[in-house]
Amino acid sequence: MKVLVTGGAGFIGSHVVRRLLSEGHMVTVLDNASTGDFDNVPAACESWEMDVRSAAVIPRIMKARFDWIVHLAAQTTVEDSLADPAFDAMENIIGTVNILEAARKSDVQRVVFSSASAVYGRGPENKQPIPETQELAPGSFYGLSKKTVEEYLIMYQRLYGLNYIILRLADVYGEFQQDIGEGGIIGSFIKKIMAGNGITIYGNGRSHDFVYAGDVADGIYAALLTAEVNTSYNLSSGTGIDTKELVRLLEDVTWKKLEVSVGAAGSQSLGSLILDCAKAREKLGWTPRTSIKKGLKKTIKHFTGKD
C-alpha cells in the first residue's frame, strides 16, 4: 500500500514509518520539521517538508493518490495549548481539515488519527481504567482540539464515506522522544541523568499510563488492517506507574543512585489517568508487549548509545 504519515519525522512517527517499511509498504513522510527531525526518517521514504496548515498540502496529497493516511502531525502539549489557543486550533483542527479534504477528494481508503487521553479530561478516579465509552470532558484546549477533530472524522465519514479510526494514546515514551508531552517525563529524566543532574518529583508523584512507542506503532498498523473501522480505541498499558516508581526503575536499569528532590505539587499533582485497552485487545488483536523496564532500556540505549 501507499501510505502518507503526517508528522512522520517526529517521535511516534519515526516508529510508525519503520513499522510500515518493515511490512513492505511505500511510505511518504509529511512534516514541517518544527519538532520532528528528517534525520530520523529512513532513506527509503519520500520526504515532504510541509505544514499541514498550508492549503498547498491538499493538491499534493491528491496528486500522490495514497491508499492510507496516518495523521500524527499536531501540537502536542497542554501547556502550549493554554499559552496559545489559536496556534493549537490552527495546527490540530485546521491542519486536520486540510488532510481530510485531501483524503476524501482522492479516495483514500482509511485515515488513522492519533488522539490523546486528554479528551477524557481528568477522568473519575473511581472509574479507572477508563473505557472508550467514557464521556469526553477535556480540561484544556489541547484536549478540546483533539475531541473536535474526532467529531470532524465522524462527520466526514457520515457525509463522504471516508473511513477512519481514532486511537486515543496514553503517555507514549521511547526512542526519538523529546521531553515534552505527558510521556516526555521519561525523556526529561533520562536527559537529566545523562547530564548528572538531579530529578524533581512534584508532590507525591503523579501516576502515568506509560506505553512504549513501538507498541503504539504496532497498534497503528493493526488499525490500518482491521475491518472494525469508524470507531475509537485506547492504546495504553492499562496500568499506572507513579513518579517515585519510575525513578526506582530508572535507577535499576541505569545502575545509578539518583538524586531526587520534592517540589511543590501545584499543577503537577493532577490525578492519574489510566486507560482501558480491552477494546483494542479484542478488536485489533493488539496488546502492549513491551514492559516498562524493557522499554526504558531501549530508550536509554537510544539516548546514550550504550547497552
Side-chain angles (χ1 to χ4, degrees):
M1 291 290 191
K2 194 174 183 182
V3 192
L4 174 67
V5 181
T6 73
F11 161 43
I12 297 173
S14 298
H15 289 263
V16 172
V17 165
R18 284 164 173 76
R19 182 71 170 88
L20 289 166
L21 289 174
S22 73
E23 298 292 341
H25 298 288
M26 295 180 291
V27 180
T28 298
V29 168
L30 187 160
D31 202 296
N32 67 4
S34 60
T35 57
D37 187 342
F38 278 101
D39 287 343
N40 297 335
V41 178
C45 296
E46 183 176 357
S47 295
W48 299 352
E49 187 169 347
M50 301 183 74
D51 195 309
V52 293
R53 293 172 294 173
S54 170
V57 302
I58 297 175
R60 189 161 188 185
I61 292 171
M62 290 173 61
K63 184 177 180 180
R65 308 293 297 186
F66 294 103
D67 299 298
W68 299 331
I69 294 178
V70 178
H71 183 39
L72 305 173
Q75 188 293 114
T76 61
T77 71
V78 170
E79 292 79 9
D80 287 349
S81 79
L82 297 175
D84 193 346
F87 171 71
D88 180 81
M90 286 295 295
E91 186 80 7
N92 292 357
I93 300 174
I94 300 304
T96 301
V97 170
N98 283 338
I99 298 301
L100 296 180
E101 277 294 282
R104 66 105 170 174
K105 290 178 178 179
S106 56
D107 298 321
V108 168
Q109 295 176 21
R110 181 174 309 188
V111 174
V112 173
F113 169 64
S114 62
S115 189
S117 60
V119 298
Y120 295 114
R122 294 186 65 172
E125 291 289 339
N126 62 342
K127 294 184 179 179
Q128 298 204 31
I130 294 172
E132 292 84 354
T133 53
Q134 173 66 37
E135 179 184 2
L136 304 187
S140 67
F141 295 118
Y142 170 64
L144 179 60
S145 66
K146 288 290 190 180
K147 176 179 180 289
T148 302
V149 168
E150 292 191 12
E151 293 172 350
Y152 267 93
L153 286 160
I154 292 168
M155 187 63 71
Y156 265 80
Q157 203 287 321
R158 185 180 302 159
L159 295 177
Y160 306 118
L162 178 61
N163 289 327
Y164 69 87
I165 288 184
I166 294 162
L167 298 176
R168 296 173 183 156
L169 310 184
D171 299 346
V172 187
Y173 74 98
E175 302 93 325
F176 309 107
Q177 181 177 24
Q178 297 184 338
D179 51 0
I180 59 174
E182 293 301 329
I185 186 175
I186 289 179
S188 175
F189 280 7
I190 291 173
K191 289 177 182 178
K192 288 178 180 178
I193 292 168
M194 289 171 60
N197 298 329
I199 289 173
T200 301
I201 295 175
Y202 296 92
N204 293 322
R206 178 186 173 188
S207 287
H208 293 261
D209 184 350
F210 290 117
V211 59
Y212 176 61
D215 290 339
V216 170
D218 289 342
I220 289 172
Y221 189 64
L224 289 168
L225 300 178
T226 184
E228 302 287 341
V229 297
N230 304 324
T231 188
S232 59
Y233 299 93
N234 292 333
L235 296 187
S236 67
S237 70
T239 59
I241 295 178
D242 65 33
T243 314
K244 291 181 179 178
E245 175 65 8
L246 174 61
V247 169
R248 189 196 68 76
L249 287 166
L250 285 168
E251 287 181 329
D252 191 23
V253 298
T254 60
W255 295 78
K256 292 182 179 181
K257 180 64 178 176
L258 305 181
E259 181 182 338
V260 180
S261 59
V262 179
S267 63
Q268 304 279 356
S269 63
L270 293 173
S272 60
L273 190 64
I274 315 302
L275 304 186
D276 187 345
C277 58
K279 182 179 176 183
R281 290 177 186 270
E282 178 185 355
K283 301 295 186 180
L284 299 182
W286 174 86
T287 188
R289 301 182 186 278
T290 307
S291 69
I292 181 68
K293 189 171 182 178
K294 184 177 180 181
L296 287 175
K297 286 181 177 179
K298 289 184 175 184
T299 306
I300 291 168
K301 181 181 179 181
H302 171 76
F303 278 103
T304 64
K306 299 177 182 178
D307 290 317

